[in-house]
C-alpha cells in the first residue's frame, strides 16, 4: 500500500509540474491581464449594466482557455512517453499500466484545475473590486466547471491512445465545443431531418459528452439563481460515470498496446 501511494504521488507530481514548466504559464498571465482590464471598468462604454456582458465574455474566454489547457494536458500524458521510450523504465519500477494511467490522469487534472483556479481568482477578484457580489451560483458554477475539465482531460487522454496528437486535439475540440454550443439543440434539429440522418444525430446526442450540462455562465453573471441540488447532483454523477467509462476504455487501449 505504501509503495502504491508513493508511486501515485510521484506520478501526480510529475504530471503537475510538466504544465508549469512549459510556456503555458506566460499565456495564463497574458490572458489574466486581458481579463482584468475590461473587468476593472465600472461602466464600460458608458452604459450601466454593460459590465455583466463583459463578465459573460470573460467567462467564455476562461472556458475556452481552460479547455485548451485540459486537452493539451491529456494529450501530453502518455504520447511523449512512447515517443521518448521513457514508458519502459516507468513500467519497470514495477508499476502496473492501470496505476500509471490513473496517476498520470490525476496529475494532469491537478495541473488543469490549478490553472482554472487561477482564472477564477482573477475573475472573482475583479468583480468584487467593482462592487459586485455572487450568491449561491458561484460554488455550483465552480464545481461544474471543474467537473467539465476532468471530463475534457479524460477525453483527450483516451484520444491520445487511439490517434495522432493533431487528430486527437482537433476531434476532441470539435466534439466538446460543438456540444457546448449546440448540444441542447440537437434533438430539435434531428426532428427536421430524414429518418436516417435523424437517427445519426440522436446517436451522437446519446454518446457524445454533454459539455452544455456544465455551463452556468449566464446564471452566474445575471444572478438567475442556482440550479436545484438534485439536478446538480445528477450532472456530477453523469460526469463521474462518463469519466469512469473513458478511463476504462483508455486502460483497455493501453493494455492492448504493444510496448
Amino acid at each position: 500500500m505504501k509503495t502504491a501511494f508513493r508511486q501515485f504521488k510521484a506520478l501526480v507530481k510529475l504530471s503537475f509540474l510538466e504544465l508549469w514548466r512549459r510556456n503555458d504559464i506566460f499565456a495564463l498571465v497574458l490572458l489574466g491581464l486581458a481579463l482584468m482590464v475590461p473587468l476593472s471598468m465600472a461602466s464600460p462604454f458608458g452604459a450601466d449594466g454593460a459590465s455583466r456582458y463583459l463578465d459573460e465574455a470573460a467567462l467564455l474566454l476562461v472556458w475556452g482557455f481552460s479547455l485548451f489547457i485540459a486537452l493539451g494536458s491529456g494529450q501530453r500524458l502518455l504520447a511523449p512517453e512512447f515517443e521518448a521510450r521513457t514508458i519502459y523504465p516507468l513500467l519497470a519500477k514495477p508499476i502496473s499500466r492501470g496505476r500509471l494511467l490513473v496517476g498520470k490522469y490525476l496529475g494532469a487534472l491537478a495541473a488543469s484545475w490549478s490553472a482554472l483556479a487561477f482564472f477564477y481568482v482573477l475573475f472573482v477578484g475583479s468583480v468584487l473590486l467593482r462592487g459586485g457580489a455572487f450568491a449561491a451560483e458561484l460554488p455550483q458554477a465552480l464545481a461544474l466547471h471543474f467537473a467539465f475539465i476532468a471530463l475534457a482531460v479524460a477525453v483527450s487522454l483516451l484520444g491520445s491512445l487511439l490517434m495522432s496528437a493533431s487528430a486527437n486535439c482537433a476531434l476532441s475540440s470539435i466534439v466538446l465545443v460543438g456540444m457546448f454550443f449546440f448540444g441542447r439543440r440537437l434533438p430539435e434539429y434531428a426532428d427536421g431531418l430524414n429518418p436516417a440522418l435523424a437517427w445519426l444525430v440522436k446517436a451522437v446526442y446519446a454518446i457524445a459528452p454533454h459539455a452544455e450540462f456544465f455551463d452556468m455562465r449566464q446564471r452566474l453573471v445575471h444572478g438567475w439563481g442556482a440550479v436545484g441540488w438534485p439536478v446538480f447532483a445528477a450532472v456530477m454523477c453523469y460526469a463521474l460515470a462518463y469519466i469512469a467509462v473513458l478511463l476504462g476504455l483508455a486502460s483497455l487501449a493501453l493494455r492492448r498496446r504493444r510496448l
Side-chain angles (χ1 to χ4, degrees):
M1 182 64 68
K2 291 183 179 180
T3 301
F5 176 77
R6 287 198 298 267
Q7 290 174 343
F8 272 123
K9 183 179 178 181
L11 288 170
V12 170
K13 182 179 179 180
L14 179 64
S15 299
F16 178 83
L17 292 177
E18 184 178 356
L19 170 67
W20 297 103
R21 287 172 179 169
R22 294 175 176 267
N23 292 330
D24 294 350
I25 185 62
F26 298 106
L28 284 171
V29 173
L30 290 176
L31 183 57
L33 292 175
L35 294 176
M36 289 288 289
V37 171
L39 291 177
S40 63
M41 297 185 293
S43 298
F45 315 118
D48 293 334
S51 59
R52 290 182 300 166
Y53 299 97
L54 284 180
D55 291 344
E56 188 174 348
L59 277 177
L60 183 61
L61 287 176
V62 169
W63 274 82
F65 204 77
S66 62
L67 176 61
F68 168 79
I69 292 176
L71 294 180
S73 299
Q75 171 59 39
R76 291 195 297 263
L77 284 179
L78 294 174
E81 303 285 1
F82 289 115
E83 294 174 2
R85 298 184 180 273
T86 53
I87 190 73
Y88 299 107
L90 278 176
L91 293 176
K93 290 296 181 180
I95 182 173
S96 67
R97 298 190 186 192
R99 191 175 298 171
L100 173 66
L101 182 75
V102 174
K104 285 275 195 177
Y105 171 76
L106 292 177
L109 192 56
S112 300
W113 278 355
S114 67
L116 181 59
F118 172 82
F119 286 124
Y120 269 99
V121 167
L122 289 178
F123 176 75
V124 173
S126 299
V127 173
L128 293 178
L129 287 175
R130 203 173 56 231
F134 292 112
E137 302 94 340
L138 182 58
Q140 285 189 346
L142 280 171
L144 290 177
H145 200 164
F146 274 62
F148 170 75
I149 293 302
L151 178 63
V153 174
V155 168
S156 182
L157 172 58
L158 175 60
S160 69
L161 295 170
L162 301 177
M163 61 191 79
S164 65
S166 57
N168 177 33
C169 291
L171 184 59
S172 298
S173 300
I174 290 172
V175 170
L176 290 171
V177 173
M179 292 299 294
F180 182 83
F181 286 108
F182 308 110
R184 58 176 58 92
R185 299 187 180 96
L186 285 182
E188 179 182 349
Y189 174 72
D191 292 338
L193 301 175
N194 62 65
L197 287 177
W199 181 89
L200 179 60
V201 172
K202 290 180 180 178
V204 170
Y205 181 79
I207 298 173
H210 285 270
E212 75 277 12
F213 287 173
F214 307 91
D215 182 18
M216 284 188 60
R217 288 177 299 118
Q218 292 186 344
R219 284 181 175 272
L220 180 62
V221 170
H222 300 290
W224 291 352
V227 298
W229 288 107
V231 175
F232 174 81
V235 175
M236 295 299 287
C237 289
Y238 168 82
L240 291 174
Y242 208 103
I243 291 169
V245 171
L246 291 174
L247 292 182
L249 293 175
S251 178
L252 181 61
L254 183 59
R255 291 178 187 278
R256 292 193 172 187
R257 186 159 184 168
R258 293 183 179 180
L259 299 178

